[in-house]
Amino acid sequence: MTQIHSLQTDKSDLARTRIVTQTLGELQAGQALLKIDRLALTTNNITYAAFGDTPHLRYWDFFPTDDAAWGHMPAWGFAEVVSTTVEGLEIGERFYGYWPIATHLVVEPVRVTERGFYDGSAHRLELTSAYNQYQRNRTDAAYRPENEDYQMLLRPLFITSFMLADYLEDNGFFGAKRVLVSSASSKTAFGTVFCLEGKDIEVVGITSASNQAYVDGLGCYQQSVTYDQLESLDASIPTLYVDFSGNAELRQRVHAHFEQSLVHDCYAGSAHSQDHISEQKLVLKGPQPQSYFAPNQIRKRNADWGPAEVTRRFNEAQLSFIKRVSDSQSPWLQLETHQGLKAAQPLIDTLVNGRIAPIDGHVVTLD
């Protein structure tokens, strides 16, 4: 009998968590049990929880609980097979993927290949398939054992960054001469800007006064301004707004300041707000916000280039990004490890309340 310990989140108060223990019986035919080894926790995980009930996202539905008021906040990381009834999976094999914050997960592997498998559990069939895929480490061309912590911290964000940069370039930056990026210190934001290096476009970051030195130190933005300095920017330059903050007041100020020079408003995330853009009833001048969803651009490029070429380009960019972020002489990210579910609880509270320094990368180990 296996004891499964999981950290559950109060859906009405994301900083409030509890640890629940359940006993697992024998596996059924078609099931496998994986022991979760390590997970990354970032503001991205809080976004999953905040938008958990949004109809087209449904993040709470991936790992349901027995109590509708409590949910499993999803996280990216690594796990190993400890028991399986499925041909093609071996005990001890290690996989990267999307997990609950828990010690174990029972999956129903389907479409098992050299690359990995998909969880075919009935409750996941209607959910976004990209989150149901689990990749074997031994066949992952971008996997490096020494990069595990960086991979799980950055890959889920960097796929958004990589495809967003491609989406903007694919659309000719909507005619803009400047890209204006909010929450410029966030990993997804500077990952996007990293992918835009060498492009013929000015990139300006908006950040807090406390994070401005960090943003300037990255060296990938041509300029940064604090939130209260937004109106100091030249409003005559055709500007594309990439919104990683989700802040409604800031969005109104951007539209009011740039007016006809604002060519596109791309809503890419919500680091500062737990309200989805669809819930923000704003009257805005100029182009209305358009939500960006990475899987849509992935599907387009799969058709344009073929899945193998998409993967090759992404892997190359990811390895380059990790190399830059982990540079010992001038790191963009410093790792901090937390042991066990109890240590994850105060970390989640800190993330929910925005008390994380941008240079910190937080890893939870579950050995």
Side-chain angles (χ1 to χ4, degrees), residues 234-256:
D234 184 347
S236 68
I237 298 174
T239 296
L240 189 165
Y241 180 44
V242 181
D243 180 18
F244 288 101
S245 74
N247 184 288
E249 179 185 0
L250 177 62
R251 184 178 297 112
Q252 285 186 310
R253 288 173 58 201
V254 167
H255 281 252

Side-chain angles (χ1 to χ4, degrees), residues 2-6 8 20-25 64-66 72 103:
T2 300
Q3 296 285 307
I4 298 179
H5 308 284
S6 63
Q8 297 181 1
V20 175
T21 299
Q22 297 174 304
T23 300
L24 176 69
T65 71
D66 295 331
H72 282 124
T103 57

Side-chain angles (χ1 to χ4, degrees), residues 286-302:
Q288 297 305 293
Q290 301 295 317
S291 292
Y292 160 77
F293 191 49
N296 292 339
Q297 187 67 8
I298 293 171
R299 280 192 288 271
K300 181 180 186 301
R301 287 313 197 189
N302 280 341

Side-chain angles (χ1 to χ4, degrees), residues 56-363:
H56 72 284
L57 300 175
R58 296 174 59 188
Y59 293 123
W60 289 127
D61 293 350
F62 284 89
F63 311 111
T65 71
D66 295 331
D67 185 340
W70 293 79
H72 282 124
M73 181 185 295
W76 294 87
F78 293 91
E80 293 184 358
V81 178
V82 292
S83 182
T84 180
T85 65
V86 179
E87 185 176 350
L89 267 63
E90 298 180 5
I91 291 175
E93 276 198 289
R94 193 165 178 81
F95 288 84
Y96 168 79
Y98 194 64
W99 316 96
I101 303 175
T103 57
H104 299 78
L105 178 68
V106 174
V107 294
E108 298 182 16
V110 297
R111 296 162 63 185
V112 179
T113 66
E114 274 294 291
R115 183 176 181 183
F117 68 88
Y118 287 79
D119 185 358
S121 298
H123 69 275
R124 297 180 70 163
L125 295 180
E126 295 182 354
L127 304 177
T128 303
S129 64
Y131 298 111
N132 291 336
Q133 182 179 1
Y134 294 87
Q135 187 160 24
R136 298 180 199 265
N137 288 7
R138 64 176 174 82
T139 60
D140 179 357
Y143 173 76
R144 305 290 185 274
E146 66 275 15
N147 285 349
E148 277 198 354
D149 289 345
Y150 290 104
Q151 177 177 323
M152 65 187 188
L153 276 163
L154 297 173
R155 183 183 284 190
L157 308 174
F158 192 65
I159 187 64
T160 296
S161 300
F162 176 78
M163 297 312 304
L164 175 56
D166 178 69
Y167 166 77
L168 298 178
E169 186 177 15
D170 193 26
N171 285 278
F173 298 101
F174 298 90
K177 298 298 183 183
R178 172 204 286 145
V179 175
L180 182 64
V181 179
S182 65
S183 291
S185 66
S186 72
K187 299 173 185 65
T188 316
F190 66 70
T192 303
V193 177
F194 174 85
C195 293
L196 292 176
E197 288 183 341
K199 309 300 180 184
D200 186 22
I201 190 81
E202 179 190 15
V203 184
V204 176
I206 318 176
T207 188
S208 64
S210 61
N211 289 340
Q212 189 171 26
Y214 173 77
V215 169
D216 290 341
L218 295 172
C220 56
Y221 293 92
Q222 279 76 53
Q223 180 185 354
S224 74
V225 295
T226 61
Y227 289 105
D228 59 3
Q229 295 171 336
L230 170 67
E231 284 77 11
S232 70
L233 293 172
D234 184 347
S236 68
I237 298 174
T239 296
L240 189 165
Y241 180 44
V242 181
D243 180 18
F244 288 101
S245 74
N247 184 288
E249 179 185 0
L250 177 62
R251 184 178 297 112
Q252 285 186 310
R253 288 173 58 201
V254 167
H255 281 252
H257 180 61
F258 291 99
E259 293 190 341
Q260 298 306 313
S261 294
L262 186 67
V263 299
H264 188 75
D265 180 340
C266 178
Y267 175 70
S270 189
H272 294 172
S273 173
Q274 294 179 10
D275 296 324
H276 193 264
I277 194 168
S278 63
E279 299 168 356
Q280 297 177 2
K281 307 302 181 184
L282 302 177
V283 177
L284 300 169
K285 298 178 181 179
Q288 297 305 293
Q290 301 295 317
S291 292
Y292 160 77
F293 191 49
N296 292 339
Q297 187 67 8
I298 293 171
R299 280 192 288 271
K300 181 180 186 301
R301 287 313 197 189
N302 280 341
D304 293 343
W305 302 335
E309 178 63 10
V310 173
T311 299
R312 188 196 67 78
R313 294 190 189 198
F314 173 72
N315 286 348
E316 182 180 86
Q318 176 192 265
L319 288 170
S320 179
F321 186 54
I322 289 176
K323 181 179 180 181
R324 178 62 194 86
V325 165
S326 61
D327 182 353
S328 61
Q329 299 302 310
S330 57
W332 287 6
L333 195 62
Q334 294 178 343
L335 300 177
E336 184 174 340
T337 301
H338 307 259
Q339 178 64 50
L341 295 177
K342 287 185 177 180
Q345 291 184 284
L347 172 58
I348 289 173
D349 177 82
T350 300
L351 286 164
V352 169
N353 289 290
R355 299 192 300 268
I356 295 293
I359 199 169
D360 292 340
H362 294 274
V363 171

